[in-house]
Amino acid sequence: ILNVEQSPQSLHVQEGDSTNFTCSFPSSNFYALHWYRWETAKSPEALFVMTLNGDEKKKGRISATLNTKEGYSYLYIKGSQPEDSATYLCAFETTTISNFGNEKLTFGTGTRLTIIP
Amino acid sequence: KAGVTQTPRYLIKTRGQQVTLSCSPISGHRSVSWYQQTPGQGLQFLFEYFSETQRNKGNFPGRFSGRQFSNSRSEMNVSTLELGDSALYLCASSLWQGQETQYFGPGTRLLVL
């Protein structure tokens, strides 16, 4: 069973502040690391798919970095806004394919972010 | 382009019954994956279909099965329902397998009484 951990579990941030959180994943059999934003009563929304060590991706005020050698990724949000309130999920995609009993995507339990106006 | 659709959105069943959930992927997407979300477990991978073939399967009992049709639409079936099967079932589609952005549907919320 693959272990994907996210920290912190929850976070309250003042509007306008910047914040970041962590996703830790196995450093072997790495294929991709996915980040999603999941707002209440909506579908998870893809933010990034990261595949190369050292990758940095950016989408507006949100950016992410990837370190596959040590098995972690950071998600950064600059100048938090109320609409950033959501649960942020990361998911580890393994190279092990077509093996029954193996997860294709293993999700962390998420970081629940609340922006305080 | 229409997003991923799932039907039904809500479902109430009793123990021992079976249920079939449906997922229509984004047009042109060939990979469909299914996930179960429960409060204690988070999102758990059920299986993935690509070109009508099951390519990956998560650690779920044989009561959980699925299939994919030639138009990439997918169905998931759960037989002999148990209380613990109460969950949100999400499907996600992507263009191809591997390293691809997955687009999620709104989910089917199943309650087993």
Side-chain angles (χ1 to χ4, degrees):
Chain A
I1 296 175
L2 301 172
N3 202 28
V4 178
E5 292 183 357
Q6 291 188 247
S7 62
Q9 273 192 319
S10 66
L11 198 51
H12 288 75
V13 173
Q14 205 69 40
E15 183 178 350
D17 287 352
S18 296
T19 187
N20 64 84
F21 23 93
T22 309
C23 172
S24 301
F25 52 87
S27 52
S28 59
N29 296 321
F30 176 86
Y31 200 42
L33 193 281
H34 301 246
W35 280 101
Y36 292 89
R37 173 169 58 201
W38 197 356
E39 294 178 67
T40 304
K42 293 188 177 180
S43 312
E45 174 199 352
L47 289 173
F48 308 114
V49 181
M50 309 181 80
T51 57
L52 297 174
N53 185 43
D55 243 359
E56 289 188 29
K57 299 249 180 175
K58 190 175 179 185
K59 187 177 181 178
R61 295 177 292 98
I62 304 177
S63 60
T65 60
L66 179 69
N67 184 323
T68 59
K69 293 188 190 313
E70 295 181 40
Y72 64 84
S73 175
Y74 293 132
L75 190 81
Y76 301 90
I77 301 178
K78 190 176 175 183
S80 303
Q81 299 296 309
E83 59 265 29
D84 296 329
S85 294
T87 296
Y88 290 82
L89 295 169
C90 69
F92 171 77
E93 186 175 355
T94 180
T95 54
T96 309
I97 58 172
S98 298
N99 284 320
F100 285 83
N102 285 351
E103 309 267 335
K104 184 194 171 181
L105 276 192
T106 303
F107 279 83
T109 50
T111 292
R112 189 179 185 91
L113 175 66
T114 304
I115 306 302
I116 305 163
Chain B
K1 204 182 243 189
V4 178
T5 58
Q6 290 186 246
T7 56
R9 294 293 311 278
Y10 303 93
L11 207 46
I12 300 175
K13 292 283 187 179
T14 55
R15 275 184 302 176
Q17 286 188 306
Q18 76 162 19
V19 67
T20 299
L21 312 181
S22 180
C23 172
S24 292
I26 290 171
S27 177
H29 285 194
R30 292 174 62 185
S31 172
V32 174
S33 298
W34 287 90
Y35 299 88
Q36 181 195 65
Q37 203 255 346
T38 54
Q41 296 289 329
L43 268 175
Q44 302 284 310
F45 171 75
L46 279 155
F47 25 66
E48 183 209 7
Y49 286 87
F50 183 83
S51 292
E52 301 177 66
T53 303
Q54 189 179 85
R55 301 293 176 138
N56 285 283
K57 189 177 191 298
N59 194 23
F60 279 81
R63 300 185 296 107
F64 290 81
S65 63
R67 57 179 176 167
Q68 186 180 35
F69 302 95
S70 57
N71 61 358
S72 293
R73 191 177 71 83
S74 177
E75 285 182 350
M76 187 193 113
N77 185 74
V78 188
S79 62
T80 320
L81 283 165
E82 299 177 1
L83 295 180
D85 297 333
S86 295
L88 178 68
Y89 291 88
L90 290 163
C91 86
S93 76
S94 59
L95 207 51
W96 294 99
Q97 287 185 286
Q99 297 181 327
E100 289 277 341
T101 298
Q102 293 206 341
Y103 297 87
F104 282 84
T108 294
R109 189 164 291 281
L110 171 65
L111 178 61
V112 181
L113 301 175

